[in-house]
């Protein structure tokens, strides 16, 4: 645990140090060509007992709890940012990768682990289940600012958001089979359909409830809306888990529903939740780094087995899972190769590797160390080369828009009005028209236009151009008519 001699001030200082270190790491990770999560882990290892010795941390229960909490926040933010129009076209292959893909990967890695380690076949399959899924935190963070082709990005993000439940189910199931040898494997089948089916249902229901509640409640401050949304994410996970359904699946589905609904203070909710997700990533990976003892990790046995299993995972297991899971689907060879390479491992396998330790299984510590090493090699090798491979395979898309301009507004909940941001495209019907020529609904006024990072004060003769950011103040009553005008396409 943490050093008992630490004072309150020391804990506060440590928290500040961790957050500042995390922010600086995130700032320079792209310049260094190294995924941020690897650097977060290294920060934890450096300040840990085998590094500078600032913090001694050895509680798998605490690491597991923090990891699960952080994953809820990360999955929720990822779901909010995912557009249903993009995901809908890849829903079937993503679901196949999230279920069959995890199963195939787990089976291949489990078989390899059985040949490499001196363990039973069930223990080897448990190891395979732990590293069987891609990681939402790693995938979301890696793809966020990279101009990967939309279809590829959507497939990877939907897969990583939906495959955690499968990995958790397999991991917990194999732990139970190891602890209770008389248990029938066939008893797990109805449990699987219950967890996935009910988890999906809970996510859909609470996503609708959350969207409805956010739009109906009138809060005194706009800063309360993001907290309200996060509270629903935690509620969704806890309720689904309480009835033994998949909490992770429920959270991701609920976030998809919320993120694709019309929301009051939508941008505040999105921006604050992005900040929450970054905090969760920083905290989770640094804590996981603290939990690792480099003296145990960087041994000849762990490194040799880790490199061998990483090679099998990256070169054999993941490609086999991708090609088998997408049979008969409209993916080209280049797209399948990219999906195979971009199957990043991250926090989820590390968090799952704490489950056998908590359960007190034999070989649990060995599994944790090897899994941790596999995650490091996966993120370093695959994560740092995704953009390069996408360019070589010609799977890059348009550069993602990350506008830096923003508008801060006083809460207008009582005034029942909102500020809407809209970006025009080449197909927008209003492009090329002057403001006085556009039939905007009543009580909808363009307050500002941002064009090429320049603020323009609009008036009647102002012409709307492609890729303009329009900031429109509108009464909530006229949001839908305004949306129809803005989304109308050229004929």
């Amino acid at each position: 645990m943490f050093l008992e001699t630490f004072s309150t001030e020391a804990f506060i200082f440590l928290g500040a140090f961790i957050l500042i270190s995390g922010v600086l790491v995130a700032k320079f990770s792209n310049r260094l060509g190294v995924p941020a999560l690897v650097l977060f882990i290294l920060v934890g290892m450096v300040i840990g007992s085998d590094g500078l010795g600032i913090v001694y941390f050895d509680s798998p229960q605490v690491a597991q709890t923090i990891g699960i909490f952080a994953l809820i926040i990360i999955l929720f933010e990822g779901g909010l940012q995912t557009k249903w129009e993009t995901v809908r076209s890849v829903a079937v292959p993503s679901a196949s990768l999230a279920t069959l893909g995890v199963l195939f990967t787990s089976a291949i890695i489990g078989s390899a682990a059985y040949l490499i380690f001196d363990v039973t076949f069930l223990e080897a399959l448990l190891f395979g289940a732990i590293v069987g899924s891609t990681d939402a935190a790693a995938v979301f963070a890696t793809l966020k600012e990279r101009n990967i082709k939309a279809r590829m990005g959507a497939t990877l993000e939907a897969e990583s958001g939906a495959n955690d439940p499968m990995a958790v189910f397999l991991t917990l199931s194999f732990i139970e089979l190891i602890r209770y040898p008389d248990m029938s494997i066939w008893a797990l089948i109805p449990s699987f359909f219950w967890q996935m089916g009910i988890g999906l249902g809970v996510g859909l229901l609470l996503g609708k409830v959350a969207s409805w509640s956010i739009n109906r409640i009138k809060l005194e401050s706009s800063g309360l809306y993001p907290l309200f949304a996060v509270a629903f994410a935690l509620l969704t996970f806890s309720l689904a888990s309480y009835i033994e359904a998949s909490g992770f699946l429920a959270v991701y589905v609920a976030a998809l529903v919320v993120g694709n609904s019309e929301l009051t203070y939508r941008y505040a909710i999105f921006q604050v939740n992005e900040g929450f997700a970054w905090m969760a990533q920083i905290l989770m990976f640094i804590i996981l780094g603290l939990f690792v003892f480099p003296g145990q990790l960087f041994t000849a046995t762990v490194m040799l087995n880790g490199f061998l299993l990483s090679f099998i995972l990256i070169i054999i297991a993941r490609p086999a899972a991708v090609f088998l899971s997408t049979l008969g689907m409209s993916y080209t060879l280049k797209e399948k190769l990219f999906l195979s390479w971009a199957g990043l491992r991250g926090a989820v396998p590390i968090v799952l590797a704490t489950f056998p330790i908590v359960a007190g299984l034999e070989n649990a510590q060995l599994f944790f160390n090897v899994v941790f090493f596999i995650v490091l090699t996966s993120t370093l090798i695959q994560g740092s080369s995704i953009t390069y491979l996408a360019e070589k395979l010609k799977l890059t898309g348009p550069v993602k828009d990350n506008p830096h301009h923003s508008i801060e507004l006083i809460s207008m909940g009582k005034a029942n009005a909102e500020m809407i941001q809209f970006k025009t495209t080449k197909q927008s019907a209003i492009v090329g028209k002057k403001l006085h020529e556009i039939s905007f609904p009543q009580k909808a006024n363009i307050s500002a236009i941002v064009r090429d990072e320049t603020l323009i004060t609009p008036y009647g003769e102002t012409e709307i151009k492609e890729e303009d950011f329009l900031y429109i103040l509108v009464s909530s009553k006229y949001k839908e008519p305004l949306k129809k005008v803005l989304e109308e396409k050229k004929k």
Side-chain angles (χ1 to χ4, degrees), residues 413-426:
K414 293 181 179 179
N416 203 26
E418 297 177 41
M419 183 68 78
I420 303 297
Q421 176 186 279
F422 179 79
K423 182 185 178 183
T424 61
T425 65
K426 189 176 182 179

Side-chain angles (χ1 to χ4, degrees), residues 11 97 121 163 178 210 281 415 424 465 467 481:
F11 276 118
L97 286 166
F121 192 59
N163 69 6
I178 292 169
Q281 285 187 61
T424 61
K465 295 186 179 181
E467 298 189 352

Side-chain angles (χ1 to χ4, degrees), residues 146-219:
R146 288 170 168 80
N147 57 328
I148 307 300
K149 190 176 178 182
R151 187 175 185 232
M152 294 293 94
T155 302
L156 290 167
E157 290 181 357
E159 176 201 5
S160 64
N163 69 6
D164 292 351
M166 185 67 174
V168 172
F169 170 78
L170 289 176
T171 299
L172 295 178
S173 296
F174 284 125
I175 289 175
E176 291 299 299
L177 289 171
I178 292 169
R179 295 178 65 188
Y180 307 103
D182 295 333
M183 181 178 177
S184 171
I185 193 171
W186 301 109
L188 301 176
I189 296 177
S191 175
F192 170 79
F193 286 104
W194 171 268
Q195 289 194 34
M196 301 305 163
I198 301 301
L200 177 65
V202 170
L204 289 171
L205 175 62
L206 288 185
K208 291 288 186 182
V209 172
S211 302
W212 183 88
S213 301
I214 289 169
N215 287 329
R216 294 298 184 275
I217 194 170
K218 301 299 180 184
L219 300 174

